[in-house]
């Protein structure tokens, strides 16, 4: 029998200390040493991981405390300004519509190119009113101005018919300067909710009077720019829509000290002026300023231009004050385009709003100020797809290029057609050439579409809007509002509005940022505004009372002010 080979000689090896198994398993000792080394490495890594985790936890705690100290310091100290923008009727689909239009029509841009608004999205807002899951602009703006829910149609009054103090009024009483900039009538629901109190939004004559200062608080607005001149002119004057002969333009100048301008020339002169006297009233259209797609630059200032003038004027006026200003800017006619189901008009309104947001955001980023932008509601139930043929599977597309062919709104073209006189053949020729080809870029109108237009000459606007919507494969569910959540956009300092919020929280944020007491203003309105004769709590200065409105059969459907309507078991086809 042969013996196993002897181990190699090693002078340093002490056989007496060797593990007996070493002679049988020569490599084990080496493996054991390696194993122990690995254990030490793992132990070291574990200690390091624990240490790193502790560092991260400590940093998180410190950051949290720092964040708490930041929020605890809200509102910030010192001089500050707040700009609140309202994109009336603009829902999330309106942004997608306009973004795709910009990418595919305006400049053939890459899919990653977005609107300025997209870059400043911070949250969403829930929009219901006190009496409906689908709000109107009056209840929506009351939530912004008073931080309270109210009923559809309410102009800064609560469901019981009593007035509520607004952010603008509280700001003025606290020493801030104030301003309103809109593209609709200055007496329309949104601007009215910051500067007046009536039980029904249609009382625009009374709203105009209060905006000048004819109510318990006196003059609260330092600057107003927009349309709606007809509500300020006596009814004996051409272009008036007032129900009485009261001359509010004259009162504005003589009684309340307003500087008054009413055209592009005077607007441009004011822009070039080194000093602008406040208060300022600028009414540039009898009713609404035309849609941006129709607006003639030489006649009407744009939303961006009016907002810029307002910013510069209010900044100069507060230069030597320890208080800043509150400015509300509304892209009013996004809503009107939605009501008309006119996608071509809407993309131009949203682009104009986006441009204005960019201008204001740039100003805010260089000053002690915040910018908050949101919508009161969505209008039209816009959908970026439309099934044209229910007998086949729908196409997954919509065609923004169709909107790029339109040069006018359906509102403007409908007005042109209504006022055209001539024989049936001349009308058809006018429709084909002027209205459809030149106005909407439509050259493939079917005979039935022409016939439909001619049968609805008195109100062809929705027919025209539907023709371009169908070709772009854009859908609409209503000519009214919808109940979807709307987006919130913000500048630095608006972190409190991150996430999903009730619309009243936006009003509360504005009041808190400017350190305002809205309840104090509400109390003053109620104490000073009660009819001195009254046994019943009536606010005669507000105009028609809520009690009268409820008694009016024409208005009954409007004024269950506190309860959401329910299904009554009657299905109505329209």
């Amino acid at each position: 029998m042969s013996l196993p080979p002897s181990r190699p000689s090693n002078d340093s090896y002490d056989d007496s200390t060797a593990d007996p198994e070493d002679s049988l398993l020569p490599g084990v000792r080496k493996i054991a040493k390696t194993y122990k080394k690995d254990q030490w490495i793992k132990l070291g890594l574990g200690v390091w991981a624990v240490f790193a985790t502790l560092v991260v936890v400590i940093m998180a705690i410190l950051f949290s405390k720092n964040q708490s100290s930041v929020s605890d310091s809200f509102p910030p100290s010192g001089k500050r300004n707040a700009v609140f923008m309202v994109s009336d009727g603009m829902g999330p689909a309106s942004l997608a519509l306009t973004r795709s239009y910009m990418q595919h029509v305006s400049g053939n841009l890459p899919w990653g190119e977005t609107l300025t608004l997209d870059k400043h999205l911070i949250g969403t807002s829930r929009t219901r009113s006190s009496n409906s899951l689908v709000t109107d602009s009056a209840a929506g703006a009351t939530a912004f101005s008073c931080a309270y829910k109210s009923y559809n149609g309410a102009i800064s009054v609560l469901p019981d018919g009593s007035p509520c103090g607004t952010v603008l009024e509280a700001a003025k009483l606290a020493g801030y300067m104030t301003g309103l900039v809109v593209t609709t009538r200055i007496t329309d629901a949104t601007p009215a909710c910051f500067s007046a109190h009536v039980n029904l939004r249609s009382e625009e004559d009374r709203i105009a009077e209060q905006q000048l200062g004819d109510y318990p608080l006196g003059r609260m607005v330092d600057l107003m720019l927009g349309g709606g001149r007809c509500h300020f002119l006596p009814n004996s004057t051409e272009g008036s829509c007032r129900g009485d002969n009261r001359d509010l333009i004259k009162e504005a100048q003589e009684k309340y000290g307003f500087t008054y301008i009413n055209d592009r020339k005077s607007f441009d002169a004011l822009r070039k002026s080194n000093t602008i006297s406040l208060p300022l009233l600028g009414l540039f259209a009898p009713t609404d300023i035309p849609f941006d797609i129709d607006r003639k630059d030489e006649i009407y200032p744009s939303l961006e231009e009016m907002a810029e003038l307002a910013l510069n004027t209010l900044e100069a006026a507060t230069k030597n004050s320890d208080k800043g200003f509150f400015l509300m800017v509304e892209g009013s006619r996004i809503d009107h385009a939605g009501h008309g189901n006119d996608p071509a008009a809407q993309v131009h309104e949203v682009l104009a709003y986006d441009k204005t947001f960019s201008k204001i955001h740039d100003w805010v980023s260089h000053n002690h100020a915040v910018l908050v932008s949101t919508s009161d509601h969505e209008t039209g139930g816009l959908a970026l797809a439309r099934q044209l043929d229910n007998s086949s599977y729908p196409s997954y597309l919509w065609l923004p290029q169709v909107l790029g062919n339109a040069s006018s709104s359906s509102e403007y073209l409908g007005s042109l057609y209504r006022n055209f006189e001539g024989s049936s053949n001349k009308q058809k020729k006018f429709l084909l050439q002027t209205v459809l080809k030149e106005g909407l870029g439509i050259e493939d109108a079917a005979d039935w579409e022409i016939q439909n237009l001619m049968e609805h000459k008195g109100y062809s606007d929705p027919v025209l809007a539907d023709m371009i919507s169908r070709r772009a494969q854009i859908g609409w569910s209503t000519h009214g509002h919808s109940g979807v959540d709307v987006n919130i956009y913000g500048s630095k300092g608006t972190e409190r509005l991150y996430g999903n919020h009730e619309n009243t929280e936006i009003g509360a944020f504005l009041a808190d940022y400017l350190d305002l007491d809205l309840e104090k203003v509400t109390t003053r309105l109620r104490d000073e505004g009660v009819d001195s004769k009254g046994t019943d709590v009536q606010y005669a200065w507000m105009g028609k009372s809520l009690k009268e409105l409820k008694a009016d059969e024409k208005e009954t459907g409007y004024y269950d002010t506190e309860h959401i309507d329910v299904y009554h078991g009657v299905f109505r086809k329209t």
Side-chain angles (χ1 to χ4, degrees):
M1 180 176 81
S2 62
L3 296 172
S6 61
R7 293 180 64 182
S9 174
N10 187 334
D11 293 338
S12 65
Y13 179 73
D14 183 358
D15 201 36
S16 65
T17 61
D19 193 309
E21 293 186 5
D22 282 357
S23 60
L24 299 175
L25 301 171
V28 168
R29 191 163 183 253
K30 182 177 180 181
I31 292 171
K33 288 182 178 180
T34 303
Y35 173 76
K36 290 178 181 178
K37 180 180 180 183
D38 288 346
Q39 288 297 94
W40 280 109
I41 292 172
K42 287 179 180 179
L43 181 61
L45 288 174
V47 171
W48 171 250
V50 171
F51 176 75
T53 302
L54 287 172
V55 169
V56 170
V57 170
I58 292 168
M59 289 179 66
I61 293 171
L62 290 174
F63 179 76
S64 176
K65 288 183 177 180
N66 184 54
Q67 288 298 98
S68 297
S69 67
V70 170
S71 61
D72 289 345
S73 68
F74 186 91
S77 60
K79 185 174 181 177
R80 69 202 85 135
N81 308 282
V83 183
F84 179 50
M85 294 186 69
V86 180
S87 45
D88 198 317
M90 185 179 81
S94 300
L95 267 292
L97 173 88
T98 307
R99 186 188 309 118
S100 293
Y101 175 88
M102 179 188 72
Q103 291 169 350
H104 294 276
V105 179
S106 296
N108 194 27
L109 301 170
W111 59 266
E113 190 70 27
T114 59
L115 299 166
T116 301
L117 286 164
D118 289 318
K119 299 174 179 66
H120 300 282
L121 177 65
I122 62 171
T124 55
S125 169
R126 307 187 291 274
T127 63
R128 61 154 288 180
S129 67
S130 69
N131 71 337
S132 180
L133 293 176
V134 180
T135 190
D136 82 325
S137 294
T142 295
F144 299 147
S145 63
C146 291
Y148 279 112
K149 294 281 188 182
S150 197
Y151 57 90
N152 287 2
I155 300 294
S156 290
V157 297
L158 299 180
D160 64 0
S162 62
C164 53
T166 75
V167 170
L168 183 144
E169 291 168 334
K172 181 63 178 176
L173 293 171
Y176 292 87
M177 301 295 280
T178 61
L180 300 170
V181 174
V182 300
T183 52
T184 186
R185 306 173 308 286
I186 199 72
T187 52
D188 201 15
T190 304
C193 280
F194 286 89
S195 54
H197 306 268
V198 296
N199 286 298
L200 181 61
R201 60 180 292 176
S202 63
E203 302 225 311
E204 293 189 50
D205 287 357
R206 183 63 193 130
I207 290 169
E209 295 160 12
Q210 291 186 35
Q211 287 177 324
L212 296 182
D214 183 11
Y215 79 124
L217 300 182
R219 182 182 65 75
M220 292 286 103
V221 193
D222 295 301
L223 178 148
M224 290 184 279
L225 302 175
R229 190 164 55 236
C230 71
H231 287 288
F232 291 78
L233 296 172
N235 62 8
S236 57
T237 304
E238 184 179 354
S240 172
C241 58
R242 284 191 67 82
D244 58 29
N245 203 35
R246 194 166 170 182
D247 187 346
L248 294 191
I249 300 296
K250 184 177 181 180
E251 288 186 33
Q253 294 171 296
E254 296 181 0
K255 185 175 181 180
Y256 298 102
F258 278 89
T259 298
Y260 174 64
I261 56 174
N262 65 355
D263 57 22
R264 180 77 204 210
K265 183 179 179 181
S266 55
F267 178 82
D268 288 340
L270 212 56
R271 291 172 74 193
K272 296 174 184 176
S273 174
N274 292 326
T275 56
I276 298 176
S277 178
L278 294 177
L280 172 65
L281 176 64
L283 302 173
F284 306 108
T287 54
D288 305 321
I289 292 174
F291 282 123
D292 212 61
I293 194 174
D294 303 321
R295 184 181 58 84
K296 291 179 172 54
D297 195 55
E298 66 274 14
I299 300 177
Y300 304 100
S302 68
L303 179 65
E304 180 191 18
E305 289 174 317
M306 291 191 290
E308 184 178 31
L309 177 66
L311 279 176
N312 293 339
T313 301
L314 293 172
E315 180 182 22
T318 58
K319 184 179 180 180
N320 298 318
S321 171
D322 61 349
K323 299 284 187 180
F325 60 81
F326 170 75
L327 173 64
M328 192 285 292
V329 178
E330 183 187 36
S332 319
R333 304 214 63 198
I334 301 171
D335 173 65
H336 294 184
H339 280 295
N341 289 179
D342 186 341
Q346 181 152 112
V347 293
H348 286 275
E349 289 302 303
V350 176
L351 285 171
Y353 185 85
D354 189 67
K355 193 175 180 182
T356 306
F357 179 93
S358 180
K359 174 75 71 174
I360 295 174
H361 188 273
D362 182 63
W363 185 90
V364 165
S365 65
H366 293 91
N367 290 276
H368 297 292
V370 292
L371 168 60
V372 178
S373 169
T374 193
S375 304
D376 44 2
H377 53 76
E378 191 273 349
T379 303
L382 174 64
L384 302 186
R386 182 165 180 169
Q387 186 166 353
L388 299 176
D389 181 4
N390 289 327
S391 65
S392 61
Y393 195 76
S395 300
Y396 291 174
L397 55 81
W398 79 276
L399 308 168
Q401 294 84 354
V402 173
L403 308 185
N405 296 328
S407 60
S408 301
S409 70
S410 59
E411 176 185 88
Y412 174 76
L413 295 170
S415 177
L416 276 186
Y417 180 44
R418 277 194 298 278
N419 295 320
F420 181 82
E421 296 180 1
S423 64
S424 178
N425 285 338
K426 286 184 177 179
Q427 283 191 47
K428 185 174 181 179
K429 185 177 179 181
F430 181 78
L431 278 174
L432 288 169
Q433 181 63 33
T434 305
V435 175
L436 295 178
K437 183 178 179 180
E438 296 174 10
L440 293 181
I442 294 176
E443 299 186 56
D444 60 349
D447 290 341
W448 67 267
E449 289 178 308
I450 299 299
Q451 186 62 34
N452 194 22
L453 282 167
M454 294 181 74
E455 289 175 359
H456 296 88
K457 184 180 179 181
Y459 190 50
S460 61
D461 311 20
V463 181
L464 293 167
D466 187 58
M467 288 178 72
I468 192 168
S469 291
R470 287 173 62 85
R471 284 164 173 77
Q473 292 192 215
I474 290 170
W476 305 86
S477 66
T478 178
H479 281 283
H481 300 168
S482 74
V484 301
D485 289 2
V486 294
N487 292 342
I488 305 173
Y489 305 90
S491 66
K492 67 181 190 306
T494 59
E495 292 79 9
R496 195 170 114 181
L497 294 176
Y498 285 11
N500 183 257
H501 296 273
E502 205 64 52
N503 54 6
T504 51
E505 294 178 66
I506 298 171
F509 170 83
L510 294 170
D512 291 346
Y513 175 79
L514 295 176
D515 199 16
L516 305 175
D517 187 347
L518 300 188
E519 294 303 322
K520 185 177 180 181
V521 182
T522 297
T523 300
R524 181 170 167 183
L525 282 167
R526 294 177 183 181
D527 290 348
E528 297 181 18
V530 175
D531 187 348
S532 57
K533 306 178 192 178
T535 52
D536 201 4
V537 179
Q538 297 290 331
Y539 304 98
W541 57 273
M542 287 172 55
K544 207 171 185 180
S545 71
L546 186 58
K547 187 176 181 181
E548 289 176 282
L549 292 170
K550 286 184 174 181
D552 189 336
E553 290 184 5
K554 292 182 295 184
E555 307 293 354
T556 300
Y558 232 120
Y559 293 103
D560 183 348
T561 61
E562 298 183 76
H563 301 97
I564 300 292
D565 203 1
V566 297
Y567 182 60
H568 299 285
V570 179
F571 177 71
R572 183 177 64 184
K573 288 186 177 181
T574 57

